[in-house]
Amino acid sequence: MKLKSMKKVLAAALSTTMVMGMSMTALASGTITGTTPTKPVAGGSITAPIYSYDTTNVVVPTSYGVAFNPDGLNITVSTQPAVTTTSTIASKNYGIINKSSKDKLVKVGFNITSTEPTESVTFVDTKDAATTDAEKGEYKIYLEVVPADTTDVQIYDASGNPEAPTTQTAPSSLAHVKMDKATSTVPMRLGDNQVAFKLGKATYALKGGSLDLDGSLTDNDVSTLYEPKTLDTTAGVTGFTFDGAMNSNADWTKVSGKIEITPTYTVETTDNTVTVLDGTGAMAELGPQVSVSSTGLVTMTGLTADANFKALRIENAGGVFDADASPVTWNTANYSAETGGTVTCQLGDGWLGTLRGISGKAHLDLTDGTTVTTVITIP
C-alpha cells in the first residue's frame, strides 16, 4: 500500500513539474507547442525608449533705453505708465522670462566701449571713485547692473497697468518692466562684463493625446508633444536695470562720443549647485571670471578666499607665457590676498603687438587649482 501511494505521489509531482516547466516560456506568436521543452524558448525583444525632453525657451528684451545724465536733467523713462527720472544713469527696467521645461542659467554679457575720440573717459569700480575721490576735470563713470529683488517682476499692459507675465508674453513687453531694485549690484567696466540669472522652469503639458506604450513613440525626445502652460512667476521671471554715478566736477559738454553697451545672452540648463545671491530674485553667483577689452585691459572679478588669484598667463602664437614676461600695469586697489575681489592688468605694447590680429587667450589660474580662460581679440 505504501509503495503504491509513493508511486502516485511521484507521478503527481512529475506531472506538476512538466506543466510548470512548459508554462515558463513564451513565443512571440503567443503559442508554445511540443511536449517537454528542455531549452529556453525565445519570447521576442523589448526596446524601451527613455522618454524625456529639455526645451529651451527664454524670452529677453529686444530694445533698450539708457542715457548718462551728469547734469540731473528730467528724463522720461516711459509714458505708459508715466515715469521720469533725474538719476545720473537713466535706464529702463528689463525683464527676462524662462518658458523652458527645465531650470536655466541665463548669462548676460555686456560689452562696453566708448566712442569718445579725444577725452579720456574712465570707468571705475565704486561710486566714490567717480564722485568724491575724482579730481576736477576727470571724466570718470561708475556704471552698475542692478538686479531685481525677491519681489515678483511684472509687465505693463497697453494702459500702463502692471500684471503678471504669462507664456504668451512677447519680447517687446520686456523693454520696460515693473521691478524693485536689489541692494546687490555688479560694477561694469570698459570691455567685456557678465552677470547671470538662475530661472525656474515653466510647467509643461501635453499638446493633445497621451504618452502611452502602444509602440508608436520610439524616440527618447518627446519635446514636440509638450508645450508650456504656466510660468513660475516668482523664480522663473526676473529683471535688471542700470545705475551708477559720474564726476559732476567735469565739463561733460566736451565729450562728443557716446557709450556703447552691447548685450548678449547665452542659456544653459542648470541645477541646484548654482547659488542665487541673497536679496535678489535670480542673480547667480558666477565665481571668478576673466575678460579682456579690445585695448588689452584684463579684468579678473569674483575672486574669493577659496578661489583667489594665483597667476595670469597670456597665450599668443608663440605659446603660453606669464603675464609679467612683458611689461604690464597691475591694479589691485579692489583686491585682497585674503578675501579676493577684483584685479586688473593692462597689457603693454609688447603684448598687444603679439596679439593683434590673432585669436589669443588669457588664462586665470586660481588657488583652488582651477583655471578660467577667455579669448583675446585685439584689432
Side-chain angles (χ1 to χ4, degrees):
M1 292 291 293
K2 290 183 178 179
L3 181 60
K4 290 182 178 180
S5 297
M6 290 179 65
K7 288 182 178 179
K8 289 181 179 180
V9 171
L10 180 60
L14 290 172
S15 175
T16 301
T17 302
M18 180 180 69
V19 172
M20 290 177 65
M22 292 177 66
S23 65
M24 289 175 66
T25 58
L27 290 172
S29 63
T31 303
I32 295 175
T33 59
T35 54
T36 56
T38 58
K39 296 181 180 180
V41 179
S45 64
I46 300 173
T47 300
I50 303 173
Y51 290 150
S52 185
Y53 63 97
D54 184 356
T55 299
T56 297
N57 188 347
V58 175
V59 188
V60 301
T62 54
S63 63
Y64 303 84
V66 180
F68 291 80
N69 187 27
D71 295 333
L73 305 177
N74 193 51
I75 298 174
T76 298
V77 177
S78 69
T79 55
Q80 292 290 354
V83 178
T84 62
T85 184
T86 58
S87 298
T88 305
I89 309 297
S91 174
K92 293 177 179 290
N93 303 327
Y94 311 104
I96 304 175
I97 295 175
N98 184 23
K99 298 198 295 185
S100 306
S101 62
K102 295 186 182 299
D103 293 351
K104 297 295 179 179
L105 184 68
V106 181
K107 296 180 179 179
V108 189
F110 297 103
N111 179 265
I112 300 176
T113 59
S114 171
T115 63
E116 171 55 32
T118 57
E119 304 296 339
S120 177
V121 176
T122 306
F123 279 67
V124 294
D125 293 326
T126 65
K127 287 185 178 181
D128 286 347
T131 55
T132 57
D133 297 340
E135 299 292 335
K136 181 178 180 179
E138 290 182 329
Y139 298 107
K140 290 190 174 181
I141 297 174
Y142 171 71
L143 178 66
E144 63 184 10
V145 169
V146 185
D149 68 5
T150 55
T151 307
D152 287 356
V153 173
Q154 297 178 298
I155 62 171
Y156 292 109
D157 64 17
S159 300
N161 300 310
E163 61 184 12
T166 70
T167 58
Q168 303 304 311
T169 298
S172 58
S173 299
L174 303 180
H176 184 57
V177 300
K178 184 179 185 296
M179 58 162 269
D180 294 329
K181 294 181 180 180
T183 56
S184 298
T185 63
V186 179
M188 299 284 105
R189 298 184 63 89
L190 287 173
D192 292 322
N193 305 267
Q194 189 177 71
V195 298
F197 301 96
K198 180 185 178 182
L199 297 178
K201 64 183 179 182
T203 299
Y204 273 58
L206 282 166
K207 295 178 181 178
S210 63
L211 191 63
D212 54 43
L213 300 179
D214 64 3
S216 61
L217 299 173
T218 58
D219 292 335
N220 286 0
D221 186 358
V222 292
S223 59
T224 58
L225 302 179
Y226 288 82
E227 62 184 353
K229 287 296 185 181
T230 58
L231 300 177
D232 183 343
T233 54
T234 297
V237 181
T238 194
F240 68 90
T241 189
F242 295 99
D243 204 346
M246 301 172 69
N247 184 13
S248 60
N249 200 16
D251 185 1
W252 290 93
T253 62
K254 293 182 179 179
V255 177
S256 61
K258 299 177 178 62
I259 304 300
E260 299 284 350
I261 304 174
T262 305
T264 56
Y265 296 85
T266 57
V267 179
E268 60 189 57
T269 302
T270 188
D271 53 30
N272 291 331
T273 61
V274 176
T275 302
V276 173
L277 294 173
D278 290 342
T280 74
M283 179 166 275
E285 188 173 356
L286 280 176
Q289 301 288 311
V290 59
S291 62
V292 185
S293 72
S294 60
T295 60
L297 179 66
V298 184
T299 302
M300 294 153 278
T301 61
L303 301 170
T304 66
D306 295 327
N308 214 337
F309 176 87
K310 181 178 180 181
L312 175 64
R313 295 174 294 129
I314 304 299
E315 181 176 345
N316 58 21
V320 182
F321 308 92
D322 189 273
D324 286 320
S326 186
V328 296
T329 302
W330 293 93
N331 182 347
T332 58
N334 298 297
Y335 169 76
S336 166
E338 289 74 34
T339 61
T342 298
V343 178
T344 66
C345 176
Q346 176 61 59
L347 303 180
D349 290 339
W351 276 124
L352 298 181
T354 67
L355 294 165
R356 190 166 285 114
I358 71 165
S359 182
K361 292 181 180 179
H363 305 280
L364 170 60
D365 297 327
L366 302 168
T367 54
D368 65 356
T370 62
T371 298
V372 182
T373 298
T374 190
V375 174
I376 302 174
T377 302
I378 306 297

